[in-house]
Amino acid sequence: MELEMEMEIEMESLKSCGAFMKRFTLEPIGPDSDELNGLTFAVKDIFDLEGQITGFGNPDWGKTHSAAKSTAPTVVSLLKSGATCIGKTVMDEMAYSINGENFHYGTPVNPVAPDRVPGGSSSGSAVAVGAKIVDFALGTDTGGSVRVPASYCGIYGIRPSHGVVSIDGVIPMAQSFDTVGWFARDARILKQVGRILLQSDHESKGLSKFIVAEDCFKLLDSKSNHQLIEILGDSVRKLYGSDQMIKYVSIGDYIEENVLSLKKFMTIETCSNDYIPSSLRALSAAMRLLQKYESKKITENGLVM
């Protein structure tokens, strides 16, 4: 009997590409709307669900924390819109990696490149979507943790502006940068989920300026660089009927001229690529130092060994 149960668990893990920490069903709790009626989703093991321990990708964290007393508002809003949650997904330990690997719980299998890592730290959520197990999934993005696994797994992923989507009920990794993002295979579903999660007090004022960071695009190969800039320009013209709002800017120069406090970071070596402006390297160094500091404070205060 025990061997049969182990085999069943192993077969389930293979079918789900190792994406899930735990499978369960949270039914819709509407009827706020039926925007997401019939859709299924999964959540990264960093979101609180009432009555369940939020594991943060680490067994010691799970052992030293109580079950959540309430469900993260982002999850509630999705349930109220008709979606069904079917489980929690694997993530990098304490969200501190970009590979998607987890020593304790295994590495979810990249559905489009099984011999490659899925990307992280929202690896399980991206894999669950890419493997067609769920229609969409929630992740978090501090320094690329939605964008990277989305690109690795061949699906859509979005990191909204900081502070636009509620991070209540989400374990912080580095609060100055943490955002809630989501994945989908279908752009239509990505937009539907966005309609729910982006509802806020932030009023759209329309588009007055569209900035193309030329120096950043030049970091790509020349073919991709030109193609992407053309696509962006065509999209702006199609949506707004004019290209007068498109401005081509060197972000590196702008930062160097306007963010004087970064000069102290100019000497920190973060990358040997001479094509990257020193101001952007300095910005990266400042971000990494602050991220490490905030992450260390969270783990020191939150993990009882």
Side-chain angles (χ1 to χ4, degrees):
M1 178 66 72
E2 189 172 320
L3 180 61
E4 288 180 3
M5 288 181 64
E6 288 181 1
M7 289 179 65
E8 285 181 12
I9 292 171
E10 185 175 348
M11 287 298 294
E12 175 60 30
S13 180
L14 288 172
K15 284 193 295 183
S16 63
C17 293
F20 287 88
M21 290 283 300
K22 186 178 181 181
R23 295 288 293 264
F24 50 79
T25 300
L26 294 180
E27 298 289 349
I29 55 176
D32 274 14
S33 77
D34 59 358
E35 178 80 22
L36 306 179
N37 190 41
L39 298 181
T40 59
F41 72 103
V43 298
K44 184 177 182 177
D45 190 28
I46 199 171
F47 289 84
D48 284 347
L49 298 179
E50 184 178 1
Q52 298 192 32
I53 295 174
T54 309
F56 206 18
N58 179 278
D60 288 320
W61 185 281
K63 291 173 185 176
T64 55
H65 287 76
S66 302
K69 295 181 179 179
S70 60
T71 298
T74 47
V75 177
V76 173
S77 64
L78 296 171
L79 295 172
K80 285 185 174 181
S81 298
T84 300
C85 180
I86 68 166
K88 275 195 170 184
T89 56
V90 175
M91 58 178 283
D92 283 288
E93 285 189 74
M94 299 178 181
Y96 208 90
S97 178
I98 208 72
N99 291 330
E101 301 168 305
N102 190 303
F103 173 80
H104 305 284
Y105 305 115
T107 301
V109 179
N110 187 324
V112 295
D115 59 330
R116 307 295 179 91
V117 295
S121 63
S122 307
S123 54
S125 290
V127 167
V129 172
K132 302 181 180 180
I133 302 167
V134 293
D135 297 300
F136 67 93
L138 288 180
T140 56
D141 191 312
T142 301
S145 291
V146 165
R147 292 162 289 171
V148 170
S151 66
Y152 284 14
C153 294
I155 58 176
Y156 294 106
I158 185 169
R159 177 200 191 278
S161 297
H162 188 263
V164 173
V165 177
S166 171
I167 57 171
D168 292 343
V170 179
I171 298 176
M173 188 270 188
Q175 290 174 301
S176 297
F177 308 99
D178 292 343
T179 63
V180 168
W182 62 99
F183 303 93
R185 295 183 307 279
D186 185 312
R188 178 182 55 84
I189 293 177
L190 191 81
K191 183 178 180 180
Q192 283 179 281
V193 176
R195 283 202 200 100
I196 304 303
L197 297 185
L198 296 175
Q199 291 179 3
S200 67
D201 296 330
H202 300 270
E203 293 185 9
S204 175
K205 297 179 180 179
L207 184 68
S208 60
K209 186 185 298 183
F210 189 91
I211 297 174
V212 177
E214 287 188 298
D215 51 341
C216 294
F217 277 101
K218 285 178 181 176
L219 299 176
L220 303 172
D221 65 79
S222 58
K223 184 178 179 181
S224 298
N225 173 18
H226 294 307
Q227 285 180 335
L228 282 172
I229 290 178
E230 285 179 9
I231 290 170
L232 286 170
D234 289 343
S235 297
V236 171
R237 283 186 285 272
K238 181 179 179 181
L239 289 170
Y240 300 98
S242 171
D243 59 3
Q244 297 300 309
M245 60 184 66
I246 303 176
K247 307 296 180 185
Y248 297 90
V249 175
S250 169
I251 294 296
D253 290 344
Y254 180 86
I255 290 171
E256 189 165 354
E257 292 168 7
N258 293 277
V259 189
L260 301 180
S261 59
L262 277 178
K263 288 190 181 298
K264 65 182 68 176
F265 294 94
M266 293 291 190
T267 58
I268 298 177
E269 286 297 324
T270 58
C271 179
S272 59
N273 191 338
D274 293 334
Y275 293 105
I276 301 178
S278 59
S279 55
L280 295 185
R281 292 201 297 268
L283 193 66
S284 175
M287 181 265 191
R288 293 301 175 194
L289 286 172
L290 180 55
Q291 183 185 55
K292 287 177 181 177
Y293 172 78
E294 293 185 342
S295 178
K296 184 181 179 182
K297 296 296 286 186
I298 290 297
T299 53
E300 284 179 346
N301 294 334
L303 184 57
V304 180
M305 298 299 291

